[in-house]
Amino acid sequence: MNFKLILMTVTSRRSALTRIVRLLANHDILLTPEISNFLLKQRDPITIAQTAISLLANEKLTKEELVTIEGWKKVSIRKEERKKEPTRSTPSHIPSTKKFAPLHQLQPINKADIEPPLRDFAPQVQIIRNIENAEKFRGTVDDFVEYFKSRFQKLSRILRQHGDLANARKIATILPEEDAVVIGMITEKRTTKNGHVLLEIEDETSSMPVLLPKGNRELIEDSQGILLDTVLGFIGKRGKDFFIAKKVIWPDVPHKINKRVAPLPVNVAFLSDIHVGSQEFLEKTFLNFINFLRGKADKQSERKMGLSTKYVLFAGDVVDGIGIYPNQQYDLLVDDINDQYDLFAHYLDYLPEDVTAIIIPGNHDMVRRAEPQPIIPDTFAKHLHSLPNVVLTSNPSMVALHGVRVLLYHCTPLMDLVNHLPGHTFEKPGTIMREMLRARHLSPLYGEHTPIAPEKEDHLVIDELPDIFHGGHVHINDVGKYRGIAIVNSGTMQAQTEYQRQLNIVPTPGKVTLLNLQSFEPHLIDFYRK
């Protein structure tokens, strides 16, 4: 064995020990150095640790037995025996949901001990937009032409509502030395040697270069946010070689919008990226949140907020999924997708009956990777579909709660956009979501890491403005506002993963934003610290 291979082996063993320590610590099991060394000498130490947890949950093992190496040897032998057992509907290394021991934290609540719920009224949920049936496409040139034509036409209609662009011309009709107003899709962007920004735009009739002069400082600064495949309006003059822009107009959100408010002070909780099935899933933190909805909180003010929270919105990645990234199997506590969804639904069984959950999929859920994504199918999530107070819809979706419109989107493109928007970071995902609103498109860049289905209609155009824009994906809680629209990125219920550590992403687990639909006043509660 050469030195490089030895180093890789040692590194993987240390990584395995780190996972084992975290996994067992979640079940109040600490390892001595002797037992750690014993486990690292085993061929599959992670599976042995998972087997120990399963045996504990099924009362076939005690914690006292795990303080000796002899006890761990028994677990190792039991692991080998499990290989000979027939396949079960629930993985052998996790407890059955019917005997899921950690749920002992959710004791029945004596209604006499808490204030009466402040949500004793019928839910008012209206699905404004749901992509039910994904269109069939073959990925031909014609498919892409139809898709980009739909994008251009939708955004052009939005831009023409701007007074300066009402009489925008087609590119092919603009003559040299003529003042004109034009709408075009960005196909190229570069900075010249002289410091000008040069764009190439096109419409259905032709294409032309557009020059943003370096002397126009406001224009140059604004150009930093211009992405390929966005549709913008330009006011200027066509010269011999370029259309020289004097002003750039974005689709954007109008400065004055008619904001809808609920007729009563009802709270909505925003969650995403629960990642049930992952070893890093923070079960206790999630249960703290569910207890909060059930009226269990230390502070009276928080009890009141919990009892007036009528809706819980999940912006995707409710489970960790299977095969989402290389070697994910080593990070899983539950390695069957059906069991992951069953376990998530088992948690939702403990939601109060008068609380409604609305769920969209994300890139870890068992739907197609290409966006838009249809609802999570009952093929994998029958228990979830059977819950009477759960509404499943597509990614993206628009729902109305007591008349207040909420745009739900998992926000996978945040990973692409952060690399193309100077000054933006993962620490403030809300500012990147603001750029989506400004471009009136959820995924302006085509052909990056976010797969988009080239359907006949571009469903990612924000043609209807929401009152609230809710996203997730980057595992960092952030709250903001843009021209009257509340922006919430809801963070996560998962501890930092190895992949996030490599990207230097520090998540904010357990931080849940509540928004009052009448006052739009946000509240942030940290369930991770409780």
Side-chain angles (χ1 to χ4, degrees), residues 23 30 65 86 122 126 137 139 204 212 224 232 244 282 307 314 319 341 369-370 399 406 409 435-436 494 506 515 529:
L23 176 62
L30 301 179
E65 291 179 88
Q126 182 184 4
F137 60 91
E204 306 101 317
L212 308 183
Q224 292 184 1
L232 303 173
I244 303 174
L282 298 171
L307 293 170
F314 293 92
V319 298
Y341 279 116
R369 290 296 305 276
V399 302
V406 184
Y409 183 51
E435 295 300 315
M436 294 177 177
Q494 183 185 40
V506 181
L515 200 64
R529 303 299 179 188

PDB file of all heavy atoms in Angstrom, residues 23 30 65 86 122 126 137 139 204 212 224 232 244 282 307 314 319 341 369-370 399 406 409 435-436 494 506 515 529:
ATOM      1  N   LEU A  23     -23.626  10.484  15.701  1.00  0.00           N
ATOM      2  CA  LEU A  23     -24.802   9.620  15.655  1.00  0.00           C
ATOM      3  C   LEU A  23     -25.147   9.119  17.055  1.00  0.00           C
ATOM      4  O   LEU A  23     -26.302   9.185  17.494  1.00  0.00           O
ATOM      5  CB  LEU A  23     -24.528   8.452  14.708  1.00  0.00           C
ATOM      6  CG  LEU A  23     -25.597   7.371  14.586  1.00  0.00           C
ATOM      7  CD1 LEU A  23     -26.880   7.959  14.037  1.00  0.00           C
ATOM      8  CD2 LEU A  23     -25.097   6.236  13.696  1.00  0.00           C
ATOM      9  N   LEU A  30     -21.898   7.956  24.787  1.00  0.00           N
ATOM     10  CA  LEU A  30     -20.551   8.487  24.624  1.00  0.00           C
ATOM     11  C   LEU A  30     -19.558   7.342  24.497  1.00  0.00           C
ATOM     12  O   LEU A  30     -19.720   6.279  25.123  1.00  0.00           O
ATOM     13  CB  LEU A  30     -20.184   9.373  25.813  1.00  0.00           C
ATOM     14  CG  LEU A  30     -21.098  10.588  26.053  1.00  0.00           C
ATOM     15  CD1 LEU A  30     -20.630  11.364  27.278  1.00  0.00           C
ATOM     16  CD2 LEU A  30     -21.110  11.490  24.829  1.00  0.00           C
ATOM     17  N   GLU A  65     -24.591  -2.122  28.425  1.00  0.00           N
ATOM     18  CA  GLU A  65     -23.787  -3.085  27.676  1.00  0.00           C
ATOM     19  C   GLU A  65     -22.811  -2.398  26.724  1.00  0.00           C
ATOM     20  O   GLU A  65     -21.815  -2.990  26.307  1.00  0.00           O
ATOM     21  CB  GLU A  65     -24.699  -4.035  26.883  1.00  0.00           C
ATOM     22  CG  GLU A  65     -25.488  -4.980  27.761  1.00  0.00           C
ATOM     23  CD  GLU A  65     -26.392  -5.892  26.941  1.00  0.00           C
ATOM     24  OE1 GLU A  65     -25.935  -6.963  26.512  1.00  0.00           O
ATOM     25  OE2 GLU A  65     -27.561  -5.506  26.722  1.00  0.00           O
ATOM     26  N   PRO A  86     -34.439 -11.966   6.317  1.00  0.00           N
ATOM     27  CA  PRO A  86     -35.167 -11.521   5.123  1.00  0.00           C
ATOM     28  C   PRO A  86     -35.334 -10.009   5.106  1.00  0.00           C
ATOM     29  O   PRO A  86     -35.296  -9.359   6.150  1.00  0.00           O
ATOM     30  CB  PRO A  86     -36.527 -12.229   5.253  1.00  0.00           C
ATOM     31  CG  PRO A  86     -36.669 -12.512   6.723  1.00  0.00           C
ATOM     32  CD  PRO A  86     -35.279 -12.779   7.214  1.00  0.00           C
ATOM     33  N   ALA A 122     -61.732  27.639  10.665  1.00  0.00           N
ATOM     34  CA  ALA A 122     -61.456  26.768   9.512  1.00  0.00           C
ATOM     35  C   ALA A 122     -60.280  27.314   8.705  1.00  0.00           C
ATOM     36  O   ALA A 122     -60.139  28.529   8.543  1.00  0.00           O
ATOM     37  CB  ALA A 122     -62.691  26.671   8.630  1.00  0.00           C
ATOM     38  N   GLN A 126     -56.036  28.337  -0.559  1.00  0.00           N
ATOM     39  CA  GLN A 126     -56.386  28.290  -1.972  1.00  0.00           C
ATOM     40  C   GLN A 126     -55.110  28.108  -2.787  1.00  0.00           C
ATOM     41  O   GLN A 126     -54.152  28.857  -2.625  1.00  0.00           O
ATOM     42  CB  GLN A 126     -57.093  29.577  -2.406  1.00  0.00           C
ATOM     43  CG  GLN A 126     -57.526  29.578  -3.869  1.00  0.00           C
ATOM     44  CD  GLN A 126     -58.138  30.897  -4.284  1.00  0.00           C
ATOM     45  OE1 GLN A 126     -58.179  31.853  -3.491  1.00  0.00           O
ATOM     46  NE2 GLN A 126     -58.607  30.983  -5.516  1.00  0.00           N
ATOM     47  N   PHE A 137     -41.342  16.334 -23.069  1.00  0.00           N
ATOM     48  CA  PHE A 137     -40.416  17.014 -23.970  1.00  0.00           C
ATOM     49  C   PHE A 137     -39.282  16.043 -24.308  1.00  0.00           C
ATOM     50  O   PHE A 137     -38.984  15.114 -23.556  1.00  0.00           O
ATOM     51  CB  PHE A 137     -39.859  18.291 -23.329  1.00  0.00           C
ATOM     52  CG  PHE A 137     -39.111  18.054 -22.054  1.00  0.00           C
ATOM     53  CD1 PHE A 137     -37.747  17.836 -22.052  1.00  0.00           C
ATOM     54  CD2 PHE A 137     -39.786  18.040 -20.844  1.00  0.00           C
ATOM     55  CE1 PHE A 137     -37.067  17.606 -20.879  1.00  0.00           C
ATOM     56  CE2 PHE A 137     -39.096  17.802 -19.662  1.00  0.00           C
ATOM     57  CZ  PHE A 137     -37.741  17.593 -19.678  1.00  0.00           C
ATOM     58  N   GLY A 139     -36.184  17.351 -25.506  1.00  0.00           N
ATOM     59  CA  GLY A 139     -34.903  18.037 -25.457  1.00  0.00           C
ATOM     60  C   GLY A 139     -34.375  18.397 -26.828  1.00  0.00           C
ATOM     61  O   GLY A 139     -33.172  18.588 -27.016  1.00  0.00           O
ATOM     62  N   GLU A 204     -37.476  38.123 -31.243  1.00  0.00           N
ATOM     63  CA  GLU A 204     -37.931  37.175 -32.266  1.00  0.00           C
ATOM     64  C   GLU A 204     -37.457  37.552 -33.675  1.00  0.00           C
ATOM     65  O   GLU A 204     -37.465  36.716 -34.585  1.00  0.00           O
ATOM     66  CB  GLU A 204     -39.461  37.086 -32.279  1.00  0.00           C
ATOM     67  CG  GLU A 204     -40.094  36.752 -30.937  1.00  0.00           C
ATOM     68  CD  GLU A 204     -40.643  38.006 -30.275  1.00  0.00           C
ATOM     69  OE1 GLU A 204     -39.934  39.034 -30.313  1.00  0.00           O
ATOM     70  OE2 GLU A 204     -41.767  37.948 -29.735  1.00  0.00           O
ATOM     71  N   LEU A 212     -23.087  49.681 -22.774  1.00  0.00           N
ATOM     72  CA  LEU A 212     -23.336  50.465 -21.572  1.00  0.00           C
ATOM     73  C   LEU A 212     -22.058  51.264 -21.311  1.00  0.00           C
ATOM     74  O   LEU A 212     -21.041  50.702 -20.886  1.00  0.00           O
ATOM     75  CB  LEU A 212     -23.651  49.557 -20.380  1.00  0.00           C
ATOM     76  CG  LEU A 212     -24.753  48.502 -20.574  1.00  0.00           C
ATOM     77  CD1 LEU A 212     -24.991  47.749 -19.271  1.00  0.00           C
ATOM     78  CD2 LEU A 212     -26.047  49.133 -21.072  1.00  0.00           C
ATOM     79  N   GLN A 224     -23.915  44.993 -12.992  1.00  0.00           N
ATOM     80  CA  GLN A 224     -23.338  43.857 -12.275  1.00  0.00           C
ATOM     81  C   GLN A 224     -24.390  42.784 -12.001  1.00  0.00           C
ATOM     82  O   GLN A 224     -24.067  41.606 -11.875  1.00  0.00           O
ATOM     83  CB  GLN A 224     -22.709  44.330 -10.966  1.00  0.00           C
ATOM     84  CG  GLN A 224     -21.483  45.205 -11.170  1.00  0.00           C
ATOM     85  CD  GLN A 224     -20.824  45.574  -9.853  1.00  0.00           C
ATOM     86  OE1 GLN A 224     -21.273  45.168  -8.773  1.00  0.00           O
ATOM     87  NE2 GLN A 224     -19.755  46.341  -9.929  1.00  0.00           N
ATOM     88  N   LEU A 232     -34.630  42.354 -20.556  1.00  0.00           N
ATOM     89  CA  LEU A 232     -34.577  43.731 -20.068  1.00  0.00           C
ATOM     90  C   LEU A 232     -35.019  44.706 -21.149  1.00  0.00           C
ATOM     91  O   LEU A 232     -35.035  44.371 -22.339  1.00  0.00           O
ATOM     92  CB  LEU A 232     -33.151  44.090 -19.630  1.00  0.00           C
ATOM     93  CG  LEU A 232     -32.496  43.203 -18.558  1.00  0.00           C
ATOM     94  CD1 LEU A 232     -31.033  43.602 -18.371  1.00  0.00           C
ATOM     95  CD2 LEU A 232     -33.252  43.300 -17.243  1.00  0.00           C
ATOM     96  N   ILE A 244     -26.351  52.252 -28.184  1.00  0.00           N
ATOM     97  CA  ILE A 244     -25.780  52.862 -26.988  1.00  0.00           C
ATOM     98  C   ILE A 244     -26.907  53.162 -26.005  1.00  0.00           C
ATOM     99  O   ILE A 244     -27.779  53.992 -26.280  1.00  0.00           O
ATOM    100  CB  ILE A 244     -25.001  54.137 -27.338  1.00  0.00           C
ATOM    101  CG1 ILE A 244     -23.902  53.811 -28.361  1.00  0.00           C
ATOM    102  CG2 ILE A 244     -24.405  54.756 -26.082  1.00  0.00           C
ATOM    103  CD1 ILE A 244     -23.170  55.020 -28.877  1.00  0.00           C
ATOM    104  N   LEU A 282     -31.804  16.888  12.948  1.00  0.00           N
ATOM    105  CA  LEU A 282     -31.905  17.296  14.346  1.00  0.00           C
ATOM    106  C   LEU A 282     -33.319  17.004  14.859  1.00  0.00           C
ATOM    107  O   LEU A 282     -34.182  17.877  14.911  1.00  0.00           O
ATOM    108  CB  LEU A 282     -31.572  18.783  14.482  1.00  0.00           C
ATOM    109  CG  LEU A 282     -30.142  19.153  14.051  1.00  0.00           C
ATOM    110  CD1 LEU A 282     -29.978  20.662  14.005  1.00  0.00           C
ATOM    111  CD2 LEU A 282     -29.111  18.536  14.979  1.00  0.00           C
ATOM    112  N   LEU A 307     -49.778  28.836  19.758  1.00  0.00           N
ATOM    113  CA  LEU A 307     -51.200  28.497  19.695  1.00  0.00           C
ATOM    114  C   LEU A 307     -51.957  29.312  18.663  1.00  0.00           C
ATOM    115  O   LEU A 307     -53.110  29.019  18.360  1.00  0.00           O
ATOM    116  CB  LEU A 307     -51.833  28.685  21.076  1.00  0.00           C
ATOM    117  CG  LEU A 307     -51.340  27.709  22.150  1.00  0.00           C
ATOM    118  CD1 LEU A 307     -51.830  28.118  23.525  1.00  0.00           C
ATOM    119  CD2 LEU A 307     -51.794  26.281  21.811  1.00  0.00           C
ATOM    120  N   PHE A 314     -43.571  24.155   4.254  1.00  0.00           N
ATOM    121  CA  PHE A 314     -42.307  23.465   4.039  1.00  0.00           C
ATOM    122  C   PHE A 314     -41.850  23.704   2.598  1.00  0.00           C
ATOM    123  O   PHE A 314     -42.505  23.246   1.656  1.00  0.00           O
ATOM    124  CB  PHE A 314     -42.458  21.960   4.273  1.00  0.00           C
ATOM    125  CG  PHE A 314     -42.740  21.577   5.702  1.00  0.00           C
ATOM    126  CD1 PHE A 314     -44.042  21.443   6.151  1.00  0.00           C
ATOM    127  CD2 PHE A 314     -41.694  21.345   6.590  1.00  0.00           C
ATOM    128  CE1 PHE A 314     -44.316  21.070   7.465  1.00  0.00           C
ATOM    129  CE2 PHE A 314     -41.955  20.977   7.900  1.00  0.00           C
ATOM    130  CZ  PHE A 314     -43.263  20.841   8.340  1.00  0.00           C
ATOM    131  N   VAL A 319     -37.141  15.241   3.246  1.00  0.00           N
ATOM    132  CA  VAL A 319     -36.328  14.052   3.538  1.00  0.00           C
ATOM    133  C   VAL A 319     -34.960  14.226   2.890  1.00  0.00           C
ATOM    134  O   VAL A 319     -34.757  15.114   2.058  1.00  0.00           O
ATOM    135  CB  VAL A 319     -37.002  12.757   3.020  1.00  0.00           C
ATOM    136  CG1 VAL A 319     -38.346  12.533   3.697  1.00  0.00           C
ATOM    137  CG2 VAL A 319     -37.162  12.791   1.504  1.00  0.00           C
ATOM    138  N   TYR A 341     -39.989   8.975   4.092  1.00  0.00           N
ATOM    139  CA  TYR A 341     -41.265   9.709   4.036  1.00  0.00           C
ATOM    140  C   TYR A 341     -42.226   9.238   5.130  1.00  0.00           C
ATOM    141  O   TYR A 341     -42.974  10.041   5.697  1.00  0.00           O
ATOM    142  CB  TYR A 341     -41.905   9.561   2.659  1.00  0.00           C
ATOM    143  CG  TYR A 341     -41.326  10.491   1.622  1.00  0.00           C
ATOM    144  CD1 TYR A 341     -40.646  10.003   0.521  1.00  0.00           C
ATOM    145  CD2 TYR A 341     -41.442  11.871   1.757  1.00  0.00           C
ATOM    146  CE1 TYR A 341     -40.098  10.859  -0.435  1.00  0.00           C
ATOM    147  CE2 TYR A 341     -40.902  12.736   0.820  1.00  0.00           C
ATOM    148  CZ  TYR A 341     -40.230  12.220  -0.274  1.00  0.00           C
ATOM    149  OH  TYR A 341     -39.683  13.071  -1.195  1.00  0.00           O
ATOM    150  N   ARG A 369     -35.600  15.735 -11.109  1.00  0.00           N
ATOM    151  CA  ARG A 369     -34.664  16.797 -10.736  1.00  0.00           C
ATOM    152  C   ARG A 369     -34.957  18.094 -11.477  1.00  0.00           C
ATOM    153  O   ARG A 369     -34.732  19.191 -10.962  1.00  0.00           O
ATOM    154  CB  ARG A 369     -33.225  16.352 -11.034  1.00  0.00           C
ATOM    155  CG  ARG A 369     -32.709  15.253 -10.127  1.00  0.00           C
ATOM    156  CD  ARG A 369     -32.619  15.682  -8.679  1.00  0.00           C
ATOM    157  NE  ARG A 369     -31.808  16.882  -8.495  1.00  0.00           N
ATOM    158  CZ  ARG A 369     -30.492  16.891  -8.376  1.00  0.00           C
ATOM    159  NH1 ARG A 369     -29.822  15.753  -8.429  1.00  0.00           N
ATOM    160  NH2 ARG A 369     -29.828  18.029  -8.206  1.00  0.00           N
ATOM    161  N   ALA A 370     -35.416  17.980 -12.727  1.00  0.00           N
ATOM    162  CA  ALA A 370     -35.649  19.179 -13.538  1.00  0.00           C
ATOM    163  C   ALA A 370     -36.839  19.960 -13.007  1.00  0.00           C
ATOM    164  O   ALA A 370     -37.876  19.393 -12.641  1.00  0.00           O
ATOM    165  CB  ALA A 370     -35.872  18.792 -14.997  1.00  0.00           C
ATOM    166  N   VAL A 399     -49.795  29.866  -3.222  1.00  0.00           N
ATOM    167  CA  VAL A 399     -50.967  29.562  -2.412  1.00  0.00           C
ATOM    168  C   VAL A 399     -51.458  30.845  -1.754  1.00  0.00           C
ATOM    169  O   VAL A 399     -50.682  31.771  -1.510  1.00  0.00           O
ATOM    170  CB  VAL A 399     -50.657  28.492  -1.339  1.00  0.00           C
ATOM    171  CG1 VAL A 399     -50.152  27.214  -1.972  1.00  0.00           C
ATOM    172  CG2 VAL A 399     -49.658  29.018  -0.316  1.00  0.00           C
ATOM    173  N   VAL A 406     -48.695  33.536  -1.122  1.00  0.00           N
ATOM    174  CA  VAL A 406     -47.337  33.102  -0.775  1.00  0.00           C
ATOM    175  C   VAL A 406     -46.761  32.318  -1.954  1.00  0.00           C
ATOM    176  O   VAL A 406     -47.363  31.348  -2.422  1.00  0.00           O
ATOM    177  CB  VAL A 406     -47.328  32.214   0.488  1.00  0.00           C
ATOM    178  CG1 VAL A 406     -45.893  31.869   0.875  1.00  0.00           C
ATOM    179  CG2 VAL A 406     -48.057  32.892   1.636  1.00  0.00           C
ATOM    180  N   TYR A 409     -40.963  28.295  -3.205  1.00  0.00           N
ATOM    181  CA  TYR A 409     -39.975  27.802  -4.168  1.00  0.00           C
ATOM    182  C   TYR A 409     -38.765  27.301  -3.381  1.00  0.00           C
ATOM    183  O   TYR A 409     -38.300  27.967  -2.451  1.00  0.00           O
ATOM    184  CB  TYR A 409     -39.565  28.928  -5.117  1.00  0.00           C
ATOM    185  CG  TYR A 409     -38.591  28.511  -6.199  1.00  0.00           C
ATOM    186  CD1 TYR A 409     -38.841  27.400  -6.990  1.00  0.00           C
ATOM    187  CD2 TYR A 409     -37.424  29.237  -6.422  1.00  0.00           C
ATOM    188  CE1 TYR A 409     -37.956  27.024  -7.993  1.00  0.00           C
ATOM    189  CE2 TYR A 409     -36.534  28.866  -7.430  1.00  0.00           C
ATOM    190  CZ  TYR A 409     -36.805  27.759  -8.205  1.00  0.00           C
ATOM    191  OH  TYR A 409     -35.919  27.378  -9.200  1.00  0.00           O
ATOM    192  N   GLU A 435     -33.049  39.509  -6.014  1.00  0.00           N
ATOM    193  CA  GLU A 435     -32.645  39.609  -7.415  1.00  0.00           C
ATOM    194  C   GLU A 435     -33.555  38.768  -8.316  1.00  0.00           C
ATOM    195  O   GLU A 435     -33.779  39.108  -9.474  1.00  0.00           O
ATOM    196  CB  GLU A 435     -31.184  39.175  -7.582  1.00  0.00           C
ATOM    197  CG  GLU A 435     -30.182  40.086  -6.890  1.00  0.00           C
ATOM    198  CD  GLU A 435     -30.246  41.509  -7.429  1.00  0.00           C
ATOM    199  OE1 GLU A 435     -30.301  41.685  -8.663  1.00  0.00           O
ATOM    200  OE2 GLU A 435     -30.251  42.450  -6.612  1.00  0.00           O
ATOM    201  N   MET A 436     -34.082  37.661  -7.791  1.00  0.00           N
ATOM    202  CA  MET A 436     -35.055  36.870  -8.543  1.00  0.00           C
ATOM    203  C   MET A 436     -36.309  37.697  -8.800  1.00  0.00           C
ATOM    204  O   MET A 436     -36.865  37.690  -9.907  1.00  0.00           O
ATOM    205  CB  MET A 436     -35.413  35.592  -7.773  1.00  0.00           C
ATOM    206  CG  MET A 436     -34.299  34.590  -7.604  1.00  0.00           C
ATOM    207  SD  MET A 436     -34.873  33.183  -6.596  1.00  0.00           S
ATOM    208  CE  MET A 436     -33.441  32.113  -6.630  1.00  0.00           C
ATOM    209  N   GLN A 494     -31.275  20.466   9.984  1.00  0.00           N
ATOM    210  CA  GLN A 494     -30.150  19.546   9.805  1.00  0.00           C
ATOM    211  C   GLN A 494     -28.853  20.244  10.233  1.00  0.00           C
ATOM    212  O   GLN A 494     -28.624  21.410   9.893  1.00  0.00           O
ATOM    213  CB  GLN A 494     -30.050  19.103   8.338  1.00  0.00           C
ATOM    214  CG  GLN A 494     -28.958  18.085   8.063  1.00  0.00           C
ATOM    215  CD  GLN A 494     -28.819  17.781   6.572  1.00  0.00           C
ATOM    216  OE1 GLN A 494     -28.911  18.691   5.741  1.00  0.00           O
ATOM    217  NE2 GLN A 494     -28.600  16.526   6.234  1.00  0.00           N
ATOM    218  N   VAL A 506     -22.114  27.696   6.642  1.00  0.00           N
ATOM    219  CA  VAL A 506     -22.439  27.469   8.048  1.00  0.00           C
ATOM    220  C   VAL A 506     -23.950  27.618   8.216  1.00  0.00           C
ATOM    221  O   VAL A 506     -24.485  28.733   8.171  1.00  0.00           O
ATOM    222  CB  VAL A 506     -21.709  28.468   8.957  1.00  0.00           C
ATOM    223  CG1 VAL A 506     -22.043  28.191  10.418  1.00  0.00           C
ATOM    224  CG2 VAL A 506     -20.201  28.390   8.737  1.00  0.00           C
ATOM    225  N   LEU A 515     -44.546  34.579  10.750  1.00  0.00           N
ATOM    226  CA  LEU A 515     -45.006  35.839  10.162  1.00  0.00           C
ATOM    227  C   LEU A 515     -46.494  35.979  10.423  1.00  0.00           C
ATOM    228  O   LEU A 515     -47.274  35.063  10.139  1.00  0.00           O
ATOM    229  CB  LEU A 515     -44.724  35.856   8.657  1.00  0.00           C
ATOM    230  CG  LEU A 515     -44.693  37.231   7.976  1.00  0.00           C
ATOM    231  CD1 LEU A 515     -43.538  38.064   8.525  1.00  0.00           C
ATOM    232  CD2 LEU A 515     -44.520  37.066   6.476  1.00  0.00           C
ATOM    233  N   ARG A 529     -31.724  25.709  20.440  1.00  0.00           N
ATOM    234  CA  ARG A 529     -31.133  25.993  21.746  1.00  0.00           C
ATOM    235  C   ARG A 529     -32.036  25.593  22.898  1.00  0.00           C
ATOM    236  O   ARG A 529     -31.651  25.717  24.048  1.00  0.00           O
ATOM    237  CB  ARG A 529     -30.825  27.500  21.850  1.00  0.00           C
ATOM    238  CG  ARG A 529     -29.904  28.012  20.762  1.00  0.00           C
ATOM    239  CD  ARG A 529     -28.548  27.336  20.804  1.00  0.00           C
ATOM    240  NE  ARG A 529     -27.677  27.804  19.747  1.00  0.00           N
ATOM    241  CZ  ARG A 529     -26.496  27.262  19.477  1.00  0.00           C
ATOM    242  NH1 ARG A 529     -26.070  26.233  20.189  1.00  0.00           N
ATOM    243  NH2 ARG A 529     -25.753  27.734  18.502  1.00  0.00           N
TER     244      ARG A 529
END
